[in-house]
């Protein structure tokens, strides 16, 4: 009887192992991947006026550095789920709505210029970094403003509720510089205010300001101050409640870094603004995580 029970226990154990092995990988997918599989649709949030990272062009196409990385993520997810096609629904957001849109489930992934911060992690989650930058200020060259200390008594346009606004406020206070911060909706509105003379400077991430300067009617009339006043590591934004989707996003991005495909993405969107610095090179290298 004892031998029979041992044999029965062994048979049940083997059967249980077989049943576990027979469970398809899809059963381990989180809710986002399951919904994407069942609907063959993914929703991507994007910034309309954050070129060269995220914007809508004259033909209505959503494009940019962050957008292209999101497209590579979508292609990776489509392949892993075995879908013959995967439709993308595009949802425009701005600095004020981007985090809420993801946290509320209105989009699966935000493709823009969002900086990773600990306080934002209370609401959303982030991919591995996709870019690193610093906050700077764009001014008219004729103003002779060359550093932050010379903003005393000046008006500075800045998008409210951003890490740029927070860091600039801290930096000016620490330096004892009294400047007036003027809220603007986006970079385009800030540039219009700067060129019209209603503000003396426009604050933002250096790479974004460089892009705005490049597209200006007379780029040589504008200059970036020498000081950087913040550290801005960009990432794609995802919800906090789905580690399986976060893993799928990160696996795709790490694959882009490992394969070297990131070089072509950088050349397409950011090379005209200057060569990648040592910090960005290091970021690409450090995110080549082992499988």
């Amino acid at each position: 009887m004892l031998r029979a029970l041992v044999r029965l226990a062994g048979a049940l154990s083997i059967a249980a192992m077989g049943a576990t092995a027979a469970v398809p990988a899809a059963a381990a997918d989180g809710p986002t991947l399951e919904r994407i599989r069942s609907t063959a649709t993914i929703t991507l949030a994007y910034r309309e006026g954050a070129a060269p990272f995220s914007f809508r062009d004259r033909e209505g196409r959503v494009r940019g550095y962050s957008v292209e990385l999101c497209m590579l993520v979508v292609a990776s997810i489509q392949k892993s789920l075995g879908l013959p096609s995967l439709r993308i629904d595009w949802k425009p957001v701005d600095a004020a709505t981007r985090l809420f849109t993801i946290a509320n489930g209105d989009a699966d992934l935000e493709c823009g210029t969002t900086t990773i911060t600990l306080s934002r992690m209370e609401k959303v989650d982030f991919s591995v970094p996709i870019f690193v930058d610093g906050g700077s200020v764009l001014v008219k060259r004729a103003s002779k403003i060359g550093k932050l200390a010379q903003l005393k008594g000046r008006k500075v346009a800045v998008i409210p509720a951003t890490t740029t606004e927070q860091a600039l406020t801290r930096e000016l206070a620490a330096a004892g510089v009294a400047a007036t911060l003027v809220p603007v909706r986006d970079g385009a509105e800030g540039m219009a205010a700067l060129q019209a003379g209603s503000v003396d400077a426009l604050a933002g991430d250096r790479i974004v300001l460089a892009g705005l300067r490049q597209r200006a009617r007379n780029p040589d009339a504008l200059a970036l101050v020498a000081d950087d006043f913040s550290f801005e590591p960009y990432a794609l934004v995802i919800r906090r409640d789905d580690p399986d989707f976060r893993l799928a996003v990160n696996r795709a991005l790490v694959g882009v870094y490992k394969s070297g495909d990131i070089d072509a993405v950088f050349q397409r969107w950011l090379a005209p603004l200057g060569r990648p610095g040592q910090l960005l090179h290091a970021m690409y290298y450090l995110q080549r995580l082992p499988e």
Side-chain angles (χ1 to χ4, degrees):
M1 177 66 70
L2 180 60
R3 284 196 296 271
L5 288 174
V6 170
R7 285 197 299 271
L8 177 60
L12 290 173
S13 177
I14 293 171
M17 291 172 63
T20 301
V23 175
D29 290 339
T32 305
L33 292 175
E34 287 288 6
R35 177 173 43 74
I36 291 170
R37 183 196 301 277
S38 64
T39 63
T41 302
I42 187 170
T43 303
L44 303 183
Y46 71 98
R47 299 283 295 277
E48 290 188 296
F53 288 87
S54 180
F55 65 99
R56 185 179 285 276
D57 67 15
R58 293 178 181 177
E59 285 75 40
R61 297 172 299 180
V62 180
R63 307 182 70 197
Y65 173 89
S66 302
V67 170
E68 185 166 344
L69 289 178
C70 276
M71 296 292 288
L72 291 171
V73 168
V74 170
S76 175
I77 289 174
Q78 178 183 341
K79 181 179 179 181
S80 69
L81 294 179
L83 295 173
S85 63
L86 181 52
R87 189 183 78 197
I88 297 175
D89 284 345
W90 294 102
K91 187 174 185 63
V93 294
D94 57 25
T97 62
R98 55 187 167 173
L99 299 184
F100 176 78
T101 297
I102 295 297
N104 200 43
D106 294 330
D108 300 310
L109 196 61
E110 191 255 351
C111 319
T113 56
T114 302
T115 298
I116 305 169
T117 70
L118 294 175
S119 59
R120 286 173 175 172
M121 286 182 183
E122 296 175 356
K123 305 177 183 69
V124 295
D125 208 342
F126 295 93
S127 70
V128 296
I130 62 168
F131 190 76
V132 288
D133 200 6
S136 187
V137 175
L138 186 67
V139 298
K140 288 183 178 179
R141 195 177 297 276
S143 70
K144 306 296 184 182
I145 298 173
K147 53 187 179 179
L148 292 179
Q150 293 173 318
L151 292 173
K152 184 176 181 179
R154 308 277 189 152
K155 294 180 179 179
V156 184
V158 65
I159 301 174
T162 59
T163 55
T164 297
E165 181 191 42
Q166 296 166 7
L168 180 60
T169 300
R170 287 195 303 269
E171 189 73 14
L172 292 176
V177 176
T180 301
L181 301 189
V182 179
V184 292
R185 184 177 64 254
D186 52 29
E189 184 177 308
M191 272 293 288
L194 176 61
Q195 293 182 315
S198 56
V199 298
D200 303 293
L202 170 61
D205 295 345
R206 180 172 287 272
I207 194 76
V208 174
L209 295 177
L212 291 170
R213 176 181 178 272
Q214 185 186 55
R215 294 189 299 277
R217 184 171 301 175
N218 183 9
D220 291 338
L222 302 168
L224 286 162
V225 302
D227 306 335
D228 279 357
F229 56 80
S230 67
F231 168 59
E232 308 286 344
Y234 293 176
L236 306 181
V237 186
I238 53 186
R239 284 190 296 280
R240 296 182 73 222
D241 58 356
D242 198 337
D244 291 326
F245 184 64
R246 181 184 61 212
L247 176 60
V249 171
N250 284 339
R251 182 167 275 139
L253 290 174
V254 170
V256 172
Y257 299 153
K258 283 182 174 179
S259 67
D261 290 345
I262 190 62
D263 295 337
V265 178
F266 181 93
Q267 288 297 319
R268 249 188 301 278
W269 300 108
L270 304 180
L273 304 178
R275 295 173 59 83
Q278 291 183 349
L279 189 61
L280 185 59
H281 271 302
M283 189 219 79
Y284 288 147
Y285 180 77
L286 292 172
Q287 299 309 318
R288 296 172 63 183
L289 304 174
E291 181 58 48

